[in-house]
Amino acid sequence: MTPQFRRISFVAAAIAGTVTVGTLGYIFVAHYPVLDAIYMAVMTMTTVGYGEIRPLSQAARVFNTFYMLLSVSMLLLALGVMTQTIIELQFGNLLVKRRAKKMIDKLENHYIICGFGRVGRGSAAELRQAGVPLVIIDRREDRVDWAMRAGYLACLGDSTRDETLYEVRVTHARGLIAALATDADNLFAVISAKTLNPKIRVAARAAEEEAERKMRQVGADAVFAPYVMTGTRLAQSLLKPHVRQFLDFATTNIGLDVGIEQLEVGAGSDLVGKSLADLRIRSELKVIVLAIRRADGKMVFNPPADAVIQVQDYLIVMGESEPLRRLESRVTGAVS
């Protein structure tokens, strides 16, 4: 139930209650017939002022004075509430979108999601859980309203057009997800994003293998085919059910407080120049180092104990949330 509907329901109930009080008062105090009592109660509340349809006793006049004050006050309150509701319905969305536009104009190092369909909604939920700033673009107004009601920043527009990407500050963005309905639209979104910001990381959805190849050629950093991935996961769930379950635990936090993270080694980190054996990450922090991505792009899987950590390396690690946070503070150099 929307706030406007609740407000209108309250006003209707208050008016009905006031008329009921007046009707009962005219029946029991002024001894009016039922129809005359209803007529007098409504006439008094609306301030039409035709006069008393039957003579009133002293007690009835006292009640009538009280009821006039009550009914007029309730009528003015109802008019105020209805006016506020109409203004909100007419201009509320405009004010919300204006506030959203001001917040979008301040975004830095954020993520852009092109398309708020099923794939886009899943991506948005994952980014929100990670606590990173994000903004959604969709050409359908109902989806934009849906996103804003869900608490996201959203922009109505065409993700394949440069001016729309400029509106969401693509030149200041860290990453973009192309989750539009067609491969052609996703391809154009990738091209536009990489043209406007060559440093931005782009992940795209592709339905066809040919589209996947083209998206990688124009600069997409990661391309995912949902149908192929779903088929692979279905097959693996039968062939290797325990491996599939473990990956689900590690990547979606289902049932266990375990996650996989990538941590960039900062220049101020106390890990620089030390080997994994010296640091005892597994024994002391209870975190497993799955791989090290070197600054030159080389990936070292299951690194040996004598592997030395260098600046701009990425540690691919797995563990519970609290140990991961402690390791992150050391890796980034936030804590000496």
Side-chain angles (χ1 to χ4, degrees):
M1 186 182 296
T2 63
Q4 291 83 5
F5 184 78
R6 287 198 298 268
R7 203 175 296 148
I8 293 173
S9 300
F10 169 77
V11 169
I15 291 176
T18 303
V19 172
T20 300
V21 169
T23 300
L24 294 175
Y26 287 119
I27 290 174
F28 294 106
V29 179
H31 307 293
Y32 277 18
V34 174
L35 290 179
D36 287 350
I38 295 173
Y39 179 75
M40 188 68 179
V42 173
M43 182 177 65
T44 302
M45 186 173 192
T46 56
T47 68
V48 174
Y50 287 125
E52 300 168 0
I53 59 177
R54 292 173 181 269
L56 295 175
S57 64
Q58 289 295 109
R61 288 183 181 276
V62 171
F63 166 76
N64 197 38
T65 301
F66 162 77
Y67 179 68
M68 283 189 293
L69 294 174
L70 174 65
S71 60
V72 172
S73 299
M74 184 57 61
L75 182 63
L76 293 176
L77 176 62
L79 290 174
V81 171
M82 293 301 295
T83 301
Q84 180 184 359
T85 303
I86 292 173
I87 291 175
E88 285 184 359
L89 291 175
Q90 291 294 326
F91 302 104
N93 287 338
L94 179 62
L95 295 176
V96 169
K97 290 178 180 178
R98 183 172 296 178
R99 285 197 299 268
K101 181 65 171 63
K102 291 181 179 179
M103 295 176 68
I104 291 172
D105 290 340
K106 298 178 181 179
L107 287 175
E108 297 282 348
N109 294 321
H110 58 290
Y111 292 85
I112 301 169
I113 298 178
C114 302
F116 199 60
R118 285 175 293 182
V119 176
R121 291 196 294 272
S123 301
E126 187 68 21
L127 291 175
R128 169 186 275 179
Q129 186 176 4
V132 297
L134 69 141
V135 61
I136 294 163
I137 308 173
D138 201 289
R139 65 183 65 177
R140 286 176 49 177
E141 189 169 2
D142 59 327
R143 287 184 175 178
V144 172
D145 292 338
W146 184 1
M148 295 181 72
R149 287 197 301 271
Y152 297 106
L153 290 177
C155 174
L156 180 65
D158 187 348
S159 303
T160 64
R161 300 181 66 86
D162 290 354
E163 53 266 31
T164 303
L165 294 177
Y166 273 125
E167 286 184 19
V168 295
R169 293 172 61 82
V170 68
T171 54
H172 296 78
R174 177 177 295 180
L176 179 141
I177 296 175
L180 299 170
T182 67
D183 288 344
D185 285 344
N186 285 325
L187 182 60
F188 273 110
V190 172
I191 294 173
S192 298
K194 280 294 187 178
T195 301
L196 299 176
N197 183 358
K199 296 181 179 180
I200 193 172
R201 288 190 58 83
V202 176
R205 165 193 173 180
E208 303 293 336
E209 292 183 6
E210 181 67 15
E212 181 178 353
R213 182 181 62 82
K214 290 181 179 179
M215 288 180 192
R216 293 189 185 279
Q217 287 178 342
V218 297
D221 299 281
V223 182
F224 298 93
Y227 301 115
V228 175
M229 293 178 61
T230 301
T232 302
R233 289 170 67 91
L234 288 172
Q236 288 180 348
S237 67
L238 296 178
L239 297 174
K240 305 172 184 177
H242 303 303
V243 174
R244 182 74 265 156
Q245 184 183 31
F246 170 76
L247 293 176
D248 286 340
F249 282 150
T251 57
T252 59
N253 295 321
I254 299 175
L256 289 176
D257 186 22
V258 175
I260 297 178
E261 296 288 346
Q262 63 172 42
L263 306 176
E264 183 179 8
V265 180
S269 173
D270 65 339
L271 277 63
V272 175
K274 297 180 181 179
S275 67
L276 295 179
D278 296 333
L279 296 170
R280 299 180 181 179
I281 293 177
R282 183 170 183 176
S283 60
E284 294 186 0
L285 292 180
K286 309 301 181 184
V287 174
I288 301 172
V289 179
L290 300 176
I292 300 176
R293 183 191 181 279
R294 299 299 187 183
D296 59 3
K298 180 182 178 181
M299 184 72 74
V300 181
F301 292 98
N302 191 21
D306 60 355
V308 178
I309 297 175
Q310 303 296 339
V311 177
Q312 294 185 338
D313 282 350
Y314 278 90
L315 303 185
I316 313 301
V317 295
M318 183 175 68
E320 296 183 352
S321 57
E322 183 58 32
L324 285 176
R325 281 194 294 269
R326 293 201 303 268
L327 178 60
E328 182 180 10
S329 66
R330 294 186 61 187
V331 168
T332 57
V335 176
S336 58

